[in-house]
Amino acid sequence: MAKVILISGSVFGTATLTADEIEDQLQNAGHEVVRPDPVSIDPLLDETMEWLIVCTSSTGNGDLPDDMLPVYTALLNDYPRITHLKFAVVALGDSSYENFCGGGLAVDDALADLGATRMADPLKIDAIEVSEPEKIAPGHVLKIITDANQ
Ligand SMILES: Cc1cc2nc3c(=O)[nH]c(=O)nc-3n(C[C@H](O)[C@H](O)[C@H](O)COP(=O)(O)O)c2cc1C
């Protein structure tokens, strides 16, 4: 069983719904999921936590949704100690935008820069091709955690 922090950032709700499904599937597999509401940096500082899963859409020009900004700003400005965390990012976007999945990729970079361990390349889900990301992302995340724990 892994101790997992799950944070999500969303404008219209797709990433929230996707994170809901990730949470359900991780819990059904026996993992402990901490999901701060509102999204907060605090659980990342808890050195008993093992994993961080980020599920976020992009808005503007590759920007993060407002609800993800407090965590992203804290990562950039406060240099939190998060080297105990393994992480994976699920990035929702739309390839018709110039900066495809830019928000999720920015978080991915910031986490790696702080020394957290990237366990997989970001999963980029293109709204043009995939209408129900909540059907794809949970299995992907569960596999990353399961494979790492074997
Ligand atoms: C105003 C607006 C700006 C967007 N900008 C981007 C962008 O820069 N890059 C990208 O990959 N997707 C962009 N998207 C697409 C969304 O990220 C995508 O539709 C996502 O699935 C929405 O998820 P949400 O409902 O959780 O916000 C944009 C969508 C809108 C409506």
Side-chain angles (χ1 to χ4, degrees):
M1 186 189 87
K3 296 180 73 168
V4 184
I5 305 157
L6 173 62
I7 58 177
S8 59
S10 181
V11 179
F12 299 109
T14 316
T16 307
L17 175 66
T18 303
D20 290 346
E21 288 294 325
I22 293 171
E23 181 176 14
D24 280 354
Q25 288 205 24
L26 291 180
Q27 287 175 334
N28 288 342
H31 300 299
E32 179 185 331
V33 181
V34 172
R35 191 166 173 198
D37 182 17
V39 174
S40 153
I41 193 88
D42 293 345
L44 281 64
L45 310 179
D46 177 351
E47 295 197 357
T48 70
M49 298 305 297
E50 300 163 314
W51 284 84
L52 171 64
I53 303 299
V54 178
C55 177
T56 186
S57 64
S58 290
T59 188
N61 180 15
D63 302 317
L64 286 162
D66 284 350
D67 50 1
M68 185 60 75
L69 285 179
V71 165
Y72 184 61
T73 305
L75 292 175
L76 293 190
N77 294 344
D78 301 344
Y79 304 105
R81 185 176 166 78
I82 57 168
T83 51
H84 54 286
L85 290 173
K86 307 180 188 84
F87 75 92
V89 172
V90 176
L92 274 56
D94 181 325
S95 61
S96 67
Y97 287 86
E98 193 175 322
N99 202 343
F100 178 47
C101 290
L105 298 182
V107 177
D108 181 81
D109 278 346
L111 293 169
D113 285 350
L114 288 165
T117 303
R118 183 192 283 118
M119 298 302 288
D121 289 337
L123 173 64
K124 295 188 269 185
I125 303 183
D126 187 350
I128 287 183
E129 295 174 353
V130 177
S131 60
E132 295 177 305
E134 70 276 14
K135 299 224 166 123
I136 292 177
H140 175 86
V141 170
L142 188 55
K143 183 172 187 322
I144 293 168
I145 294 176
T146 304
D147 288 353
N149 282 353
Q150 275 171 356

